Amino acid sequence: MTIKIGSVPMIFNHQRFGNDCLARRLHLRMKVSDIADLIETSASVISRYERGTEPNLHMNVFLKMCNVFDLDPREYFELEH
């Protein structure tokens, strides 16, 4: 998925982000619904992010998930070539 940060086209690595979130959630022994409640979104949104199938990057949800799972958001973007 390509998005623009400022005027710079960036590719969001949704599969890597989803894999990392799933691993962290399982490590913390939390349910999808627990994470959804923490960041005030639906469990289905969390599930789609974990599977890498969420078609849209919702920056507020993404940043909240990074915060909950202690992930660096910069790790999931690269310059579009």
Side-chain angles (χ1 to χ4, degrees):
M1 163 190 308
T2 302
I3 66 166
K4 285 195 174 188
I5 298 180
S7 62
V8 180
M10 304 287 283
I11 296 173
F12 174 61
N13 190 331
H14 54 84
Q15 196 64 50
R16 180 177 174 204
F17 179 67
N19 290 340
D20 289 352
C21 288
L22 176 61
R24 295 283 176 107
R25 181 175 63 77
L26 294 175
H27 176 77
L28 294 170
R29 297 181 180 177
M30 296 180 80
K31 296 185 238 175
V32 171
S33 59
D34 296 332
I35 301 303
D37 290 344
L38 273 175
I39 65 172
E40 301 173 332
T41 193
S42 70
S44 64
V45 168
I46 301 300
S47 292
R48 286 193 306 269
Y49 271 105
E50 286 185 350
R51 290 189 317 266
T53 60
E54 175 57 43
N56 302 304
L57 175 62
H58 303 280
M59 194 58 74
N60 61 332
V61 173
F62 167 72
L63 292 173
K64 287 177 181 181
M65 288 177 73
C66 286
N67 187 45
V68 166
F69 295 126
D70 194 28
L71 300 172
D72 183 347
R74 297 171 293 185
E75 295 292 318
Y76 303 100
F77 293 94
E78 58 187 57
L79 290 173
E80 182 180 58
H81 301 296

